[in-house]
Amino acid sequence: MIILDEIKQEENYSHNLFVTYPKTIQISHGVYDNVIDMMNMCTMIAQNLDTTELTNVYGGKTPWGFFNNKPEFTRFIDYVFNKHQNSNPFFNKQNWYNKNISFDSWGNEIKKGDSVAMHTHKDHHLILYLTEGAPLILPELKMTIHPKKGHYYIFPPYISHGVPKVEEDGKTRYCLVTNILDNADWKKNKLIKEATDAREKKQY
């Protein structure tokens, strides 16, 4: 068993865990230190729950895309990009700016009686825990994440995860969830291919 020492908010550390089962994936982890923004996001989630949507979250959830244009979200994404651009290929500076990146971000509220059904995301998936609370289960990786305030995790696509039904009284868990959408820019890709083909043709 490997036990990772907890990263304190004031420490400039991040972890990258590679798991093979049989394919190899990378999970990046760090600690966000903007306490005021996290408090504000908790408040926004609690005040903007949408009970009309049918989702995998059997608890509280804001509308899809709720945080997309919020300055608190923008500051967090900038932090993650700058922290992981040299350690996670997905955030590599050149690749990041060559991609047609967009976001779908929302907030979850999980309390006693709530759960999140096992599911996957087709895109890179980022969770920022705004409070402690119910654990996240990743059965195919044989991993359980026990949330700590400010801790965030970046998962590659198609990793099954969920939250079992909360049976005990305890602190309500708030988190920010983001799908990082790597949308193909076909027009840009065509121009790159044409330029590459032309350069290769000159060489022969």
Side-chain angles (χ1 to χ4, degrees):
M1 175 186 291
I2 298 175
I3 299 177
L4 301 176
D5 292 342
E6 182 176 352
I7 303 173
K8 297 178 181 179
Q9 289 184 345
E10 66 271 16
E11 292 179 325
N12 188 28
Y13 281 80
S14 64
H15 288 142
N16 287 281
L17 178 65
F18 292 86
V19 182
T20 302
Y21 67 107
K23 66 179 181 179
T24 299
I25 64 162
Q26 179 178 0
I27 299 173
S28 296
H29 161 58
V31 178
Y32 189 47
D33 59 0
N34 193 326
V35 177
I36 293 176
D37 273 3
M38 289 191 290
M39 289 175 58
N40 289 339
M41 285 190 277
C42 280
T43 301
M44 285 188 276
I45 295 171
Q47 294 178 348
N48 292 276
L49 298 177
D50 184 355
T51 59
T52 63
E53 292 183 336
L54 297 177
T55 74
N56 293 305
V57 180
Y58 295 94
K61 176 188 166 298
T62 68
W64 301 111
F66 176 79
F67 282 103
N68 285 8
N69 298 314
K70 299 286 192 296
E72 292 85 356
F73 173 70
T74 301
R75 285 189 287 268
F76 172 58
I77 286 295
D78 286 345
Y79 177 91
V80 170
F81 167 69
N82 289 317
K83 176 71 74 173
H84 295 280
Q85 61 179 305
N86 294 321
S87 60
N88 187 322
F90 184 75
F91 293 94
N92 175 272
K93 193 170 186 177
Q94 182 176 355
N95 291 339
W96 184 263
Y97 289 117
N98 284 339
K99 297 174 186 286
N100 185 22
I101 295 292
S102 62
F103 304 99
D104 186 12
S105 59
W106 65 94
N108 288 346
E109 177 192 78
I110 304 296
K111 58 185 185 305
K112 183 178 180 180
D114 294 342
S115 64
V116 179
M118 287 293 169
H119 65 286
T120 64
H121 298 248
K122 67 181 184 64
D123 304 284
H124 275 74
H125 177 221
L126 170 61
I127 304 176
L128 168 63
Y129 290 105
L130 305 172
T131 64
E132 296 183 1
L136 182 73
I137 309 298
L138 300 96
E140 62 187 307
L141 304 185
K142 300 187 181 300
M143 291 177 59
T144 299
I145 293 175
H146 296 275
K148 297 285 188 180
K149 181 179 179 180
H151 286 212
Y152 63 85
Y153 297 85
I154 306 165
F155 302 100
Y158 300 110
I159 300 300
S160 180
H161 59 282
V163 178
K165 185 175 180 179
V166 180
E167 302 288 355
E168 299 179 358
D169 290 316
K171 180 183 287 188
T172 299
R173 193 196 81 181
Y174 290 97
C175 65
L176 170 73
V177 187
T178 303
N179 284 331
I180 307 175
L181 312 176
D182 182 4
N183 303 305
D185 188 336
W186 297 111
K187 183 177 180 180
K188 183 175 181 179
N189 289 348
K190 181 180 179 183
L191 292 174
I192 293 173
K193 183 178 186 304
E194 290 174 349
T196 301
D197 291 345
R199 186 169 59 252
E200 291 178 350
K201 188 175 182 180
K202 283 184 178 181
Q203 293 176 351
Y204 293 98

Short mmCIF file of all heavy atoms in Angstrom, two decimals, residues 14-40:
data_model
loop_
_atom_site.label_atom_id
_atom_site.label_comp_id
_atom_site.label_asym_id
_atom_site.label_seq_id
_atom_site.Cartn_x
_atom_site.Cartn_y
_atom_site.Cartn_z
N SER A 14 2.40 18.94 -6.26
CA SER A 14 1.30 18.22 -6.90
C SER A 14 1.74 16.77 -7.06
O SER A 14 2.93 16.47 -7.07
CB SER A 14 0.94 18.82 -8.27
OG SER A 14 2.03 18.70 -9.16
N HIS A 15 0.79 15.85 -7.15
CA HIS A 15 1.08 14.44 -7.33
C HIS A 15 0.57 14.00 -8.70
O HIS A 15 -0.45 14.49 -9.18
CB HIS A 15 0.38 13.57 -6.27
CG HIS A 15 0.98 13.70 -4.91
ND1 HIS A 15 0.22 13.70 -3.76
CD2 HIS A 15 2.26 13.82 -4.49
CE1 HIS A 15 1.00 13.82 -2.70
NE2 HIS A 15 2.24 13.89 -3.12
N ASN A 16 1.27 13.05 -9.30
CA ASN A 16 0.80 12.38 -10.50
C ASN A 16 0.91 10.89 -10.27
O ASN A 16 1.99 10.38 -9.97
CB ASN A 16 1.62 12.79 -11.72
CG ASN A 16 1.31 14.20 -12.16
OD1 ASN A 16 0.30 14.45 -12.82
ND2 ASN A 16 2.15 15.15 -11.78
N LEU A 17 -0.22 10.20 -10.38
CA LEU A 17 -0.27 8.76 -10.13
C LEU A 17 -0.59 8.04 -11.44
O LEU A 17 -1.56 8.38 -12.12
CB LEU A 17 -1.35 8.46 -9.09
CG LEU A 17 -1.58 7.00 -8.73
CD1 LEU A 17 -0.34 6.43 -8.05
CD2 LEU A 17 -2.80 6.86 -7.82
N PHE A 18 0.26 7.08 -11.81
CA PHE A 18 0.03 6.29 -13.01
C PHE A 18 -0.49 4.91 -12.57
O PHE A 18 0.13 4.24 -11.75
CB PHE A 18 1.31 6.14 -13.82
CG PHE A 18 1.78 7.44 -14.44
CD1 PHE A 18 2.56 8.32 -13.72
CD2 PHE A 18 1.40 7.77 -15.72
CE1 PHE A 18 2.98 9.52 -14.28
CE2 PHE A 18 1.81 8.96 -16.29
CZ PHE A 18 2.60 9.84 -15.57
N VAL A 19 -1.63 4.52 -13.14
CA VAL A 19 -2.26 3.25 -12.78
C VAL A 19 -2.38 2.39 -14.03
O VAL A 19 -2.83 2.86 -15.08
CB VAL A 19 -3.66 3.48 -12.17
CG1 VAL A 19 -4.28 2.16 -11.75
CG2 VAL A 19 -3.57 4.44 -10.98
N THR A 20 -1.97 1.12 -13.94
CA THR A 20 -2.08 0.19 -15.06
C THR A 20 -3.05 -0.92 -14.69
O THR A 20 -2.90 -1.57 -13.66
CB THR A 20 -0.70 -0.42 -15.40
OG1 THR A 20 0.21 0.65 -15.72
CG2 THR A 20 -0.80 -1.36 -16.59
N TYR A 21 -4.05 -1.17 -15.62
CA TYR A 21 -5.10 -2.14 -15.22
C TYR A 21 -5.89 -2.78 -16.36
O TYR A 21 -7.09 -3.07 -16.15
CB TYR A 21 -6.11 -1.45 -14.30
CG TYR A 21 -6.93 -0.39 -14.99
CD1 TYR A 21 -8.28 -0.60 -15.29
CD2 TYR A 21 -6.35 0.81 -15.38
CE1 TYR A 21 -9.02 0.36 -15.93
CE2 TYR A 21 -7.09 1.77 -16.00
CZ TYR A 21 -8.42 1.54 -16.27
OH TYR A 21 -9.17 2.51 -16.92
N PRO A 22 -5.52 -3.12 -17.55
CA PRO A 22 -4.16 -3.22 -18.05
C PRO A 22 -3.65 -1.96 -18.75
O PRO A 22 -2.45 -1.83 -18.95
CB PRO A 22 -4.26 -4.37 -19.05
CG PRO A 22 -5.65 -4.24 -19.57
CD PRO A 22 -6.48 -3.77 -18.42
N LYS A 23 -4.53 -1.06 -19.17
CA LYS A 23 -4.00 0.16 -19.79
C LYS A 23 -3.44 1.07 -18.69
O LYS A 23 -3.76 0.92 -17.51
CB LYS A 23 -5.09 0.90 -20.57
CG LYS A 23 -6.21 1.46 -19.71
CD LYS A 23 -7.24 2.19 -20.57
CE LYS A 23 -8.36 2.78 -19.71
NZ LYS A 23 -9.35 3.52 -20.53
N THR A 24 -2.60 2.01 -19.08
CA THR A 24 -1.98 2.91 -18.13
C THR A 24 -2.63 4.29 -18.24
O THR A 24 -2.77 4.84 -19.34
CB THR A 24 -0.48 3.04 -18.37
OG1 THR A 24 0.13 1.75 -18.22
CG2 THR A 24 0.16 4.01 -17.38
N ILE A 25 -3.05 4.83 -17.11
CA ILE A 25 -3.67 6.15 -17.07
C ILE A 25 -2.92 7.04 -16.08
O ILE A 25 -2.21 6.54 -15.21
CB ILE A 25 -5.16 6.08 -16.68
CG1 ILE A 25 -5.30 5.54 -15.25
CG2 ILE A 25 -5.95 5.24 -17.66
CD1 ILE A 25 -6.63 5.82 -14.63
N GLN A 26 -3.10 8.33 -16.22
CA GLN A 26 -2.49 9.29 -15.31
C GLN A 26 -3.58 10.05 -14.57
O GLN A 26 -4.49 10.61 -15.18
CB GLN A 26 -1.60 10.27 -16.08
CG GLN A 26 -0.95 11.33 -15.19
CD GLN A 26 -0.03 12.26 -15.96
OE1 GLN A 26 0.14 12.12 -17.17
NE2 GLN A 26 0.55 13.22 -15.27
N ILE A 27 -3.46 10.10 -13.25
CA ILE A 27 -4.35 10.90 -12.41
C ILE A 27 -3.49 11.97 -11.74
O ILE A 27 -2.50 11.66 -11.08
CB ILE A 27 -5.04 10.04 -11.33
CG1 ILE A 27 -5.90 8.97 -11.99
CG2 ILE A 27 -5.88 10.91 -10.40
CD1 ILE A 27 -6.48 7.97 -11.00
N SER A 28 -3.84 13.23 -11.95
CA SER A 28 -3.10 14.33 -11.34
C SER A 28 -3.87 14.86 -10.15
O SER A 28 -5.10 14.91 -10.15
CB SER A 28 -2.86 15.45 -12.36
OG SER A 28 -2.04 15.00 -13.41
N HIS A 29 -3.11 15.28 -9.13
CA HIS A 29 -3.73 15.72 -7.87
C HIS A 29 -2.95 16.90 -7.32
O HIS A 29 -1.73 16.96 -7.41
CB HIS A 29 -3.71 14.56 -6.87
CG HIS A 29 -3.87 14.97 -5.45
ND1 HIS A 29 -4.96 15.67 -4.99
CD2 HIS A 29 -3.07 14.78 -4.36
CE1 HIS A 29 -4.82 15.90 -3.68
NE2 HIS A 29 -3.68 15.37 -3.29
N GLY A 30 -3.67 17.85 -6.75
CA GLY A 30 -3.02 18.98 -6.11
C GLY A 30 -3.97 19.62 -5.11
O GLY A 30 -5.06 19.11 -4.84
N VAL A 31 -3.54 20.74 -4.56
CA VAL A 31 -4.33 21.46 -3.57
C VAL A 31 -4.49 22.91 -4.02
O VAL A 31 -3.49 23.58 -4.34
CB VAL A 31 -3.68 21.41 -2.17
CG1 VAL A 31 -4.50 22.22 -1.17
CG2 VAL A 31 -3.56 19.97 -1.70
N TYR A 32 -5.72 23.37 -4.06
CA TYR A 32 -6.03 24.75 -4.43
C TYR A 32 -6.09 25.58 -3.16
O TYR A 32 -6.69 25.17 -2.17
CB TYR A 32 -7.37 24.80 -5.16
CG TYR A 32 -7.72 26.12 -5.79
CD1 TYR A 32 -6.79 26.83 -6.54
CD2 TYR A 32 -8.99 26.66 -5.65
CE1 TYR A 32 -7.13 28.03 -7.14
CE2 TYR A 32 -9.33 27.86 -6.24
CZ TYR A 32 -8.40 28.55 -6.99
OH TYR A 32 -8.72 29.75 -7.57
N ASP A 33 -5.46 26.76 -3.19
CA ASP A 33 -5.30 27.52 -1.95
C ASP A 33 -6.13 28.80 -1.88
O ASP A 33 -5.95 29.60 -0.97
CB ASP A 33 -3.82 27.87 -1.73
CG ASP A 33 -3.25 28.69 -2.89
OD1 ASP A 33 -3.99 28.99 -3.84
OD2 ASP A 33 -2.04 29.00 -2.83
N ASN A 34 -7.07 28.99 -2.82
CA ASN A 34 -7.90 30.20 -2.80
C ASN A 34 -9.13 29.93 -1.93
O ASN A 34 -10.19 29.55 -2.43
CB ASN A 34 -8.30 30.62 -4.21
CG ASN A 34 -8.88 32.02 -4.25
OD1 ASN A 34 -9.56 32.45 -3.32
ND2 ASN A 34 -8.62 32.73 -5.34
N VAL A 35 -8.98 30.11 -0.64
CA VAL A 35 -10.03 29.77 0.33
C VAL A 35 -11.29 30.60 0.12
O VAL A 35 -12.42 30.09 0.20
CB VAL A 35 -9.51 29.94 1.78
CG1 VAL A 35 -10.62 29.65 2.78
CG2 VAL A 35 -8.31 29.02 2.02
N ILE A 36 -11.12 31.87 -0.19
CA ILE A 36 -12.29 32.75 -0.36
C ILE A 36 -13.11 32.32 -1.57
O ILE A 36 -14.35 32.24 -1.50
CB ILE A 36 -11.83 34.22 -0.51
CG1 ILE A 36 -11.21 34.70 0.80
CG2 ILE A 36 -13.00 35.12 -0.91
CD1 ILE A 36 -10.65 36.10 0.74
N ASP A 37 -12.45 32.01 -2.68
CA ASP A 37 -13.18 31.56 -3.87
C ASP A 37 -13.92 30.25 -3.58
O ASP A 37 -15.05 30.06 -4.04
CB ASP A 37 -12.22 31.37 -5.05
CG ASP A 37 -12.01 32.66 -5.83
OD1 ASP A 37 -12.57 33.71 -5.42
OD2 ASP A 37 -11.29 32.63 -6.84
N MET A 38 -13.30 29.35 -2.83
CA MET A 38 -13.97 28.09 -2.52
C MET A 38 -15.18 28.32 -1.63
O MET A 38 -16.23 27.67 -1.81
CB MET A 38 -12.98 27.12 -1.88
CG MET A 38 -11.95 26.58 -2.87
SD MET A 38 -10.97 25.20 -2.22
CE MET A 38 -9.97 26.06 -1.00
N MET A 39 -15.09 29.21 -0.68
CA MET A 39 -16.24 29.55 0.16
C MET A 39 -17.36 30.13 -0.70
O MET A 39 -18.55 29.78 -0.52
CB MET A 39 -15.83 30.54 1.24
CG MET A 39 -14.94 29.96 2.33
SD MET A 39 -14.38 31.22 3.51
CE MET A 39 -15.95 31.86 4.10
N ASN A 40 -17.01 31.01 -1.63
CA ASN A 40 -18.02 31.61 -2.50
C ASN A 40 -18.68 30.56 -3.39
O ASN A 40 -19.90 30.60 -3.62
CB ASN A 40 -17.39 32.69 -3.37
CG ASN A 40 -17.01 33.93 -2.58
OD1 ASN A 40 -17.54 34.17 -1.49
ND2 ASN A 40 -16.09 34.72 -3.11
#
